[in-house]
Structure formats: C-alpha cells, structure tokens
Amino acid sequence: MQEPRWWKECVVYQIYPKSFFDSNSDGIGDIPGITEKLEYLKWLGVDVLWICPVYPSGGFDNGYDISDYESIAGQYGTMEDFEKLLRTCHDCGIKVLLDLVVNHTSDRHPWFMSSQSGTTSPERDLYIWREGRENAEAPSNWGALFGGPAWTQEGPGGQYYLHLFSPRQPDLNWGNEQLRQRIYAMMSRWLDRGVDGFRMDVISLIAKPGEMADGPAGLSGYYDPRAQIAANPELHGYLREMRSSVLDGRDVVTVGEASAIGLEQARVITDPDNGELDMLFQFEHMDLDGGETFKWTDRAIQLPDLKRVMDRWQQGLDTVGWGALFWNNHDQPRMLSRMGDEGRFRETSAKMLATCLHMMKGTPFIYQGEEIGMTNMPFSHVNQLRDNESIQAFWHYTRSGMIPEQDMMQYIRLKCRDNARTPMQWSAQPQAGFTDAVPWMDVNPNYPDVNVQEQRGRPDSILAWYRSLIDLRHRHAVIVYGDYTPYDSDNPHVYAYLRSLDNQTLFVCCNFSASPRTCTLPRGFDGSNVTVLLDNTADSEYLSHSLLAPYESIILLKEGPHHGATHS
Ligand code: GLC
Ligand code: CA
C-alpha cells in the first residue's frame, strides 16, 4: 500500500469564481459569494476547494493573465474578503488551494512592462526575448495555443518575446534565478496567509529548452512545441528547487496541470522520493476527441480509447506517484454532454460517470455544477461566447475557409470552454439564482430543471449520489489505497475494474451505453460476503443476470481474500 496522506483521502471541489455566486448583484460571481455557499459545500462533504484565479488580471483569459500576484481583483472582492473565506473554510474543516499561474503573466504585469521597456531594463531577462531571423522572420515557427505565432515583435527591428498562449500572456523566463526567487517568495507569502497549497497552471511548460528550434508545422502553419518543452529535464530541477525553497516543512498539497506530459515523466514528478509535486492532472483522455484542427471537430471520445488511456495511467501510477482524477474543469466541455446522455438518461448517466471516476485510484476533483448534472450550453451565435480562445478560433477557421461557419458553430457547441463557464444553477429563480442582475454570461436555459435547490431535497438526485460517493471514500480505505485492476477490458460498452486492499475487493461496473449490456460477475462476487454499496438503477438485474440497464453503474464490496481478475 502507498503511504497514507490526507490529500489522497480527499475530494476536491473546483470553483470558477466568476460563475459561482454573485453576492453583490453586479452579474459577476465573487469571493463573498463563495463564503455564502460554504454551507452547501460542507453539506456536500468535499474536503478541499481549488479556487481559480482571483488576482488582478489583464482580463484577457478570465484571470489566467495575472497582473498582480499578491492582491485580489476588485470584481471578486478584497483581501479581507479572501481572508474571511479562508478562515470560514478552515473553521468548517475545508482546505483551500489557490491557482498558481507562473508560466506566464499578463502583458500588464509591472514586470513585463519593465522588461518590455528596453533591452537594458534590469527586468528584461524575466521574460524570454530573442532576435528575429533574417527577412523579419520570428525566431522559430512555434505556434501559440490561442492561435497565431508564439512570438511577437516589440516594434520594428525589435526583439521578439515568447508567449505560448496569447500575445497578452508573455512567458516568464524560469532560467532566470531572480525570477524564480520572486515566485518562491510570493508563494511563501500566500502559504503564510494560510492557504493549503496550489493548483499549478501549465506547470509542465515552465522550463523552455535552450534552443527553441523549428519543428514540423501542423495545419495552422505553426509547430506545437508543448511536447518538446514538457520533455525538457530542467523542469525537474525547478520543481525540486521550488519544493525545497517553499514547500518543505509545510503540510500543503501541490497539483500540477501537466499538459503534454507522458506517463514516465509523471511518475518521476509525483514519486514522493523525488520531492517534486504531489499529484498531476494528465490530459490524454481529454484529448481523445481532438484532431488536425485541434479540438475543433465533431469527433467523440470512444469508450475503448478512454479505457485504454485511463487503465494505462491507473496502472502506471499504481505503485509510485499519484494522479488527480477529473472528467470536468473550466477548460473542458461538460463530460455529461460528451459521454453521457443529456436527455432521458441524464440523471442515470451523470451518476454512472461519477461512479466510474470516483472509484478509481487518485484524488477526485468535482467541477462546479458537475454534481447536479449541468450540461453543455446550446450556443447559437458567436456573440454569446466569452472565451477568447473560441472567439479567435471561430474567426480564424471560418475566415481562412478551413471550416464552414455552421460546422464551426457546431464544433464550438461541442467543445468550447464556455460550456463549463455558464453560471452555477442554484435554483429555478431567474438567472438560476446566480445573480439578481444581468449575468456576465448567459445562464443555461435548462436551469428550471437542473438546479441545486430541486436536487438537494431529493434522495435519488445526482447531487445526493455525489454526496454518497464522497461519503464512501471517507469510509472505505480500499477506495483510496486499493490496487487497480482492469476487468473485461475488451468490452466496448462497459467500463469495469477491481480495487483491492487487504481482504477487501471493490468491483465497479459501468455501462457507458443507452442499451442494456452484459458483463460477467467476477469470481467470488456471488456469495453472501458481497454488499452492494451503490447502484443507480432500481430493480437492477445485474446480480441475477449479469445484465446492466442503460447507463447502469454498480459498486460491489466483497470481504475475504482477493481472487484476482479472472472471470467466474
Ligand atoms: C491553463 C488554464 C486555462 C488557461 C491556460 C493559460 O490551461 O486552465 O484556463 O487559459 O492555462 O493560462
Ligand atoms: Ca459580484
């Protein structure tokens, strides 16, 4: 068994403050709004909150373009509001993680404005500047994630600065010792204030290789350098230095957002002996429905691919390291719309998806609204979008003629990040009870049916199901520490697996389809020593006929020696 740690036993709840709850009727969610809703989160049973950026920002990427690391943006409240939130959380036993965005800053950050002021600025080297090539060409053919080149020139004949996301988000130069010391000092001050750790934004990309050379261009005309950057071994040195400078001796947790990280490297990063990070978000499963035009396709995730990827990560981190489990976050369309059923089986499929994830090995993350089965938004026009990523992609792909407008709108409905960012649906009141004003972004029209108030009083709701899953985790060590073994791997419709610890074995069986499916009961699971912990289907025929109803999911617990994963 792996070493017990509190953060392995937790469930984390992710809050996107702008869309969580508006306490002062300006249409924007805020920090006092989170404090007001703590009673709900405590009732739900979550242990930790991850709060997306609330710092002053350039306003280009909803807070992921920070202009001041050590204050609170006025729209979200004051430092006193933040401290009150933190105190109230701690009083009721909830920990708080802040979002640490240190791959880049806003172009309005004073460090960048100074760096930009000229080659002799003492802060020039806090960012990454290079001379262009001949014929006014950028230093390399790297592309930015939000479209266009990753290099922007500072005036005619000037140097270029690197920005992996957008020109408004210049990348920091982690090779600069002074920069690293400033970041570590800033982190220490937040920890001194009492925060319990950090979710680290694109931490896998902080270590830029010395030579940022051309690579094979994709359809966009640019090279996507992320895999090359993430593979740079210098990353490990920075993470170890960060730990020894800031984190050692404090009982906090770190979760890295690790886009483009492979399994082998993830093992190194989360192996406790290496002193880097506690856990990682990997994205291989989220990228399964992408294609040549990035995520802008109507390709869907296929269950066999999802199983292959999840199994590989589950087994790869089973003995060393630790993973963060998620189906949703603020950058992803809603998983219920992606792999569940928004219609007749909305509730059943939402519960099934939750079961499948929460019983895996790793720390589960719930993204706001997931626990009530919020779905994608039926966007019909580009002016309903708020996220620059999709707005820019819309114009880029349609103007270049690569994707017809109607198709692009369809892809946006399926994949855009704004799907996750519509206001939290609290009740059937106007604007879903999120605000008394006009919300900063439209509320999903399904709020009269899908909201907290309706589900809170209903024992068979999705919300009640999440509450039960959280409670199970707190009561059964096998859910936290048990070994993971895939079961019936070749079944294209059912995702099943076993977890085992000491003399307990858990069997989790999930039907990912809208038709009844069979999956044989594992050996030893037909006796009197087996308990049904949860089943999302009334009158289940699973134990009697090995038959799963549409989107059925069942969790069985067996006491007694573990028999391995063989069929009966
Ligand atoms: C991360 C964030 C995302 C942001 C990006 C750039 O991926 O989760 O929201 O746009 O980093 O900071
Ligand atoms: Ca507000």
Side-chain angles (χ1 to χ4, degrees):
M1 184 176 119
Q2 288 197 2
E3 197 199 332
R5 298 299 305 274
W6 61 263
W7 40 263
K8 297 181 180 175
E9 299 169 11
C10 283
V11 175
V12 186
Y13 188 93
Q14 182 191 351
I15 292 184
Y16 197 68
K18 200 168 182 180
S19 294
F20 192 61
F21 184 63
D22 175 20
S23 72
N24 62 349
S25 308
D26 63 357
I28 297 174
D30 44 59
I31 292 173
I34 304 174
T35 310
E36 246 181 78
K37 294 295 182 185
L38 274 183
E39 177 275 333
Y40 165 71
L41 297 168
K42 186 64 197 163
W43 171 84
L44 180 58
V46 297
D47 310 281
V48 179
L49 305 182
W50 150 25
I51 299 178
C52 289
V54 285
Y55 321 93
S57 100
F60 180 81
D61 192 20
N62 272 336
Y64 285 93
D65 49 329
I66 296 174
S67 57
D68 177 357
Y69 284 114
E70 303 198 41
S71 337
I72 301 293
Q75 65 176 2
Y76 294 131
T78 61
M79 190 58 89
E80 287 66 44
D81 292 330
F82 177 77
E83 287 182 334
K84 179 168 176 209
L85 169 64
L86 193 58
R87 254 194 334 270
T88 320
C89 283
H90 288 166
D91 286 348
C92 61
I94 293 178
K95 296 186 191 270
V96 176
L97 311 185
L98 283 188
D99 219 308
L100 184 79
V101 189
V102 290
N103 175 70
H104 48 269
T105 66
S106 163
D107 61 347
R108 303 295 146 82
H109 195 292
W111 298 348
F112 185 71
M113 297 203 284
S114 158
S115 177
Q116 191 182 29
S117 67
T119 48
T120 56
S121 159
E123 289 173 313
R124 180 70 167 181
D125 193 44
L126 298 184
Y127 293 82
I128 300 167
W129 296 93
R130 292 285 185 279
E131 294 293 340
R133 293 185 282 195
E134 277 172 31
N135 309 321
E137 263 193 71
S140 70
N141 70 344
W142 287 17
L145 218 73
F146 295 155
W151 296 101
T152 289
Q153 191 173 24
E154 191 60 35
Q159 291 188 330
Y160 290 72
Y161 68 90
L162 179 72
H163 51 82
L164 293 181
F165 289 90
S166 81
R168 305 278 314 270
Q169 297 164 292
D171 279 52
L172 288 164
N173 177 16
W174 275 73
N176 181 295
E177 160 82 24
Q178 195 198 130
L179 182 268
R180 299 200 304 278
Q181 294 309 326
R182 288 189 190 189
I183 301 283
Y184 302 154
M186 174 272 286
M187 291 172 70
S188 298
R189 284 189 288 268
W190 279 111
L191 294 170
D192 291 343
R193 277 185 199 277
V195 308
D196 303 287
F198 299 101
R199 175 266 184 185
M200 301 184 179
D201 193 66
V202 286
I203 200 72
S204 50
L205 302 184
I206 58 172
K208 311 301 186 282
E211 211 203 332
M212 295 182 278
D214 279 356
L219 264 192
S220 64
Y222 299 104
Y223 167 61
D224 177 354
R226 282 177 297 163
Q228 188 195 325
I229 299 172
N232 180 8
E234 276 174 320
L235 172 63
H236 303 288
Y238 297 148
L239 294 177
R240 288 172 200 190
E241 181 185 72
M242 178 193 281
R243 177 164 290 260
S244 59
S245 315
V246 182
L247 304 163
D248 272 347
R250 302 191 194 244
D251 189 19
V252 296
V253 66
T254 54
V255 191
E257 187 198 25
S259 61
I261 281 274
L263 178 57
E264 271 322 304
Q265 226 187 334
R267 284 166 64 99
V268 174
I269 294 174
T270 62
D271 179 342
D273 290 342
N274 292 333
E276 298 185 22
L277 298 178
D278 294 323
M279 55 177 136
L280 287 182
F281 295 111
Q282 62 85 17
F283 288 88
E284 222 181 304
H285 62 312
M286 292 280 109
D287 295 339
L288 288 170
D289 52 5
E292 268 198 314
T293 44
F294 187 46
K295 62 182 162 187
W296 310 112
T297 76
D298 56 6
R299 188 165 306 145
I301 302 177
Q302 302 302 319
L303 183 64
D305 295 331
L306 184 75
K307 288 171 65 166
R308 177 177 47 77
V309 168
M310 296 304 285
D311 284 349
R312 204 168 71 82
W313 281 88
Q314 284 286 299
Q315 294 181 293
L317 295 178
D318 207 13
T319 48
V320 189
W322 196 257
L325 304 168
F326 72 103
W327 289 148
N328 293 285
N329 66 32
H330 64 293
D331 293 329
Q332 298 292 334
R334 294 278 179 180
M335 189 62 158
L336 176 52
S337 302
R338 228 164 162 180
M339 294 206 79
D341 179 289
E342 289 183 351
R344 182 170 158 218
F345 297 115
R346 191 179 66 84
E347 298 216 341
T348 317
S349 64
K351 293 173 189 173
M352 181 281 289
L353 287 166
T355 307
C356 185
L357 190 77
H358 281 238
M359 294 299 114
M360 286 183 182
K361 189 162 189 173
T363 298
F365 282 63
I366 299 171
Y367 176 69
Q368 69 184 43
E370 173 184 339
E371 77 279 19
I372 53 169
M374 281 178 62
T375 61
N376 280 354
M377 175 81 172
F379 292 110
S380 53
H381 196 273
V382 63
N383 66 18
Q384 288 174 289
L385 302 172
R386 292 289 174 274
D387 181 11
N388 279 313
E389 182 199 42
S390 43
I391 296 169
Q392 294 185 354
F394 179 84
W395 295 117
H396 169 72
Y397 286 107
T398 56
R399 283 196 179 136
S400 64
M402 280 162 81
I403 302 179
E405 251 182 53
Q406 275 196 350
D407 294 359
M408 188 61 191
M409 214 45 230
Q410 171 64 2
Y411 304 157
I412 282 178
R413 263 192 297 279
L414 293 170
K415 307 281 176 69
C416 80
R417 309 196 294 181
D418 278 336
N419 280 310
R421 301 176 179 184
T422 60
M424 177 70 182
Q425 295 165 207
W426 293 104
S427 71
Q429 303 294 308
Q431 310 299 357
F434 161 73
T435 180
D436 299 333
V438 180
W440 74 280
M441 130 172 240
D442 289 349
V443 171
N444 191 311
N446 66 12
Y447 73 87
D449 298 319
V450 181
N451 64 69
V452 171
Q453 196 179 43
E454 188 277 322
Q455 293 189 32
R456 200 164 162 173
R458 186 159 58 84
D460 67 347
S461 64
I462 302 169
L463 183 56
W465 185 267
Y466 269 85
R467 205 167 169 239
S468 305
L469 289 173
I470 297 168
D471 179 57
L472 281 181
R473 182 178 191 80
H474 292 151
R475 287 191 293 118
H476 297 280
V478 62
I479 297 175
V480 181
Y481 297 107
D483 294 337
Y484 176 94
T485 314
Y487 180 81
D488 201 2
S489 290
D490 297 331
N491 193 323
H493 307 292
V494 174
Y495 196 159
Y497 54 86
L498 295 149
R499 304 285 312 279
S500 55
L501 182 71
D502 303 328
N503 65 344
Q504 293 200 316
T505 312
L506 202 69
F507 177 59
V508 182
C509 194
C510 300
N511 181 0
F512 270 71
S513 78
S515 311
R517 303 288 176 187
T518 50
C519 175
T520 329
L521 208 57
R523 187 149 65 96
F525 271 81
D526 45 8
S528 57
N529 53 345
V530 174
T531 329
V532 179
L533 293 185
L534 279 179
D535 189 333
N536 65 353
T537 303
D539 306 319
S540 169
E541 290 182 66
Y542 186 62
L543 288 178
S544 52
H545 296 100
S546 298
L547 191 67
L548 295 158
Y551 296 107
E552 178 168 356
S553 63
I554 183 166
I555 311 171
L556 302 176
L557 179 67
K558 179 170 75 77
E559 309 278 345
H562 177 48
H563 285 287
T566 44
H567 283 69
S568 52

